[in-house]
Amino acid sequence: MMSTQLQSYLTNAQTRQLDELIAWLRIPSISTISAHQPDVLAAAQWLVENMRQSGLENVELIETEGHPLVYGDWLHAGTDKPTVLVYGHYDVQPVDPLALWHTPPFEPTVRAGQGYRQEGDDLYARGSSDDKGQTFIHVKAVEALLQTTGALPVNIKFLIEGEEEAGSQAIGLYVPAHVEQLAADLCLISDTGMLAPDQPVITYGLRGNWTAEITVTGPSQDLHSGVYGGATHNPNQALCELLAALHDKDGHVTVPGFYDQVPELSDAERALLANVPYDEAKLLADNGAPAAYGEPAYTVVERIGARPTLEINGMWGGFITEGFKTVIPSQAHAKLSCRLVPNQDPAEIGQLVEAYLQQLAPPTIKVEVQGRPGSPAYTASLASPAIQWAAAAYQAVFGVAPIYKREGGSIPIVNKFQAALDIPIVLMGFGLPDDNLHAPNEKFYLPNFYKGIETSITFLQACGAQTKTD
Ligand code: BES
Ligand code: MN
Ligand code: MN
């Protein structure tokens, strides 16, 4: 339980901590747009400064081939206390379509909660939920503990990256090369969601991913569609034909071999996932689509968490601005991403998709597939005591036990933490299903920001109550 001293510290600190988060959110740290590179750097520097002020030590900005990492620690709890590694990301997704934002993405705005939330404000800004707001929870938990007690119940290390939304390449190289610096007993991550304000979730699985850009080339330059149409395969049309062949009418991916390594769900896991109070009606209420889609033999929760997918993230080609132009474009483009489940190897899936696209390609066009290194899926063992401390912390602060769920999103670095550092990972999220991640009007439900800080403190205290035996 938190002391009254801590509680009154947090009450007094609320407005300032929110103001700090707002200042951080003003920096447009979009990692995948090169023009924003200075902003990504500025967001890292801002975090360095804030972590120092919050009482963390050895805080440094670590240059990489890509965007910088931010490291900081506090290691005075004693060698008999566990060390917690906190991970998060300070980069954010692009903001387009900008016109659909009710307030500008980098002018954070607090508005009263709507929808199924009875009370409480939302903070609207790109990165508010994913993941600056959730990362900041742990920085402010450390601040509160150090300011009130002068110490932390555990040793702690922060490693915060700036290219999670770009595939986590730099941190992926850094972690295996710095296992001593990062040595810890468990890893704590808040970059996932809850089901509702009163239903916390411990995520025990994440999907992996593989992404690629596809280019279809027909004629060597754009052509008059009257002069050449009918005798030249239009690349836009050819691209549609190719992409349309990647799924059957039930939503199965048709790429040969795509499901070969996919394990069938056990009855026990299907029963666990059946406890998740989420169904087609809730899905449609959250996403606004006219009807659900996907493999009929699987529930919505299974489709999202435990089945692989292939998505078309973007497609373009030809004349798309105002006016009209009767043209056969030279090229058409698409961006694809696959979500992968355990046992699927991203590189192998990439080869299968590429081979199938080449096999489908008619002789009238050329197809080029530029794949990027992906990341495999992740599953946690629910048996680790750290998961139990997280469950107890949620229970103490939210008054409800968490449910256990597999998530459809990816956090590419988690496997490397597990493999290189050999530690359990706790995915303790505070986002909500209607936070509009990656979409216009991203927001963070502010009561979850404040409760998140309390949950983090409670979790760290539970960790600290353990004495290490090794
Ligand atoms: N925080 C998300 C992942 C996530 C979202 C987990 C929802 C659970 C629920 C993360 O920032 C993210 O968006 N990751 C990307 C990774 C990709 C760019 C390699 C993703 O999943 O698309
Ligand atoms: Mn995230
Ligand atoms: Mn994200």
Side-chain angles (χ1 to χ4, degrees), residues 15 57 131 215 250-251 309 381 432:
T15 316
E57 300 175 353
D131 182 43
T215 308
D250 284 333
T309 66
S381 152
L432 288 178

Side-chain angles (χ1 to χ4, degrees), residues 128-424:
S128 55
S129 177
D130 185 13
D131 182 43
K132 285 171 174 163
Q134 295 205 57
T135 298
F136 206 50
I137 280 174
H138 303 297
V139 180
K140 294 299 101 177
V142 164
E143 174 205 285
L145 283 163
L146 286 176
Q147 289 297 320
T148 50
T149 66
L152 299 181
V154 291
N155 303 300
I156 203 161
K157 299 176 178 178
F158 280 74
L159 186 67
I160 312 299
E161 72 157 312
E163 51 185 45
E164 195 274 344
E165 304 290 10
S168 297
Q169 245 102 291
I171 193 176
L173 296 172
Y174 188 86
V175 169
H178 296 82
V179 293
E180 263 169 48
Q181 181 197 21
L182 302 174
D185 298 287
L186 62 104
C187 176
L188 175 62
I189 302 176
S190 295
D191 192 21
T192 53
M194 318 204 321
L195 268 171
D198 57 358
Q199 185 53 74
V201 170
I202 290 181
T203 299
Y204 70 92
L206 291 166
R207 289 193 288 194
N209 76 293
W210 175 79
T211 55
E213 191 164 327
I214 316 259
T215 308
V216 169
T217 307
S220 55
Q221 59 172 29
D222 289 8
L223 302 175
H224 189 295
S225 68
V227 176
Y228 290 98
T232 311
H233 199 172
N234 184 316
N236 278 339
Q237 178 193 339
L239 178 66
C240 290
E241 289 161 355
L242 285 176
L243 297 180
L246 296 176
H247 293 89
D248 70 13
K249 61 172 185 4
D250 284 333
H252 297 291
V253 176
T254 49
V255 175
F258 189 79
Y259 294 99
D260 282 2
Q261 311 303 323
V262 176
E264 260 318 312
L265 282 171
S266 68
D267 290 345
E269 184 163 13
R270 292 196 96 161
L272 185 68
L273 290 176
N275 288 330
V276 178
Y278 197 78
D279 57 14
E280 245 177 73
K282 284 222 173 69
L283 170 88
L284 297 178
D286 284 342
N287 77 5
Y293 173 82
E295 298 176 289
Y298 298 90
T299 67
V300 164
V301 171
E302 290 167 353
R303 285 179 214 169
I304 292 173
R307 296 289 292 170
T309 66
L310 187 155
E311 297 290 339
I312 302 156
N313 305 120
M315 41 200 297
W316 69 102
F319 187 70
I320 54 167
T321 50
E322 194 191 351
F324 208 79
K325 188 175 173 191
T326 45
V327 69
I328 298 173
S330 166
Q331 289 193 321
H333 310 264
K335 290 187 196 246
L336 302 187
S337 65
C338 293
R339 295 286 170 180
L340 308 177
V341 298
N343 290 346
Q344 285 185 300
D345 172 31
E348 194 182 312
I349 292 298
Q351 281 161 10
L352 293 175
V353 174
E354 173 161 8
Y356 189 49
L357 283 167
Q358 295 297 356
Q359 181 199 320
L360 290 174
T364 46
I365 47 112
K366 286 203 164 55
V367 177
E368 195 195 332
V369 180
Q370 256 196 332
R372 292 158 47 88
S375 63
Y378 157 82
T379 12
S381 152
L382 291 177
S384 104
I387 299 269
Q388 301 316 312
W389 303 332
Y394 270 135
Q395 170 82 55
V397 176
F398 288 83
V400 188
I403 56 157
Y404 296 87
K405 187 165 171 291
R406 287 174 34 149
E407 268 290 0
S410 311
I411 304 176
I413 195 61
V414 288
N415 290 287
K416 293 231 166 92
F417 283 145
Q418 215 176 26
L421 307 177
D422 191 25
I423 51 175

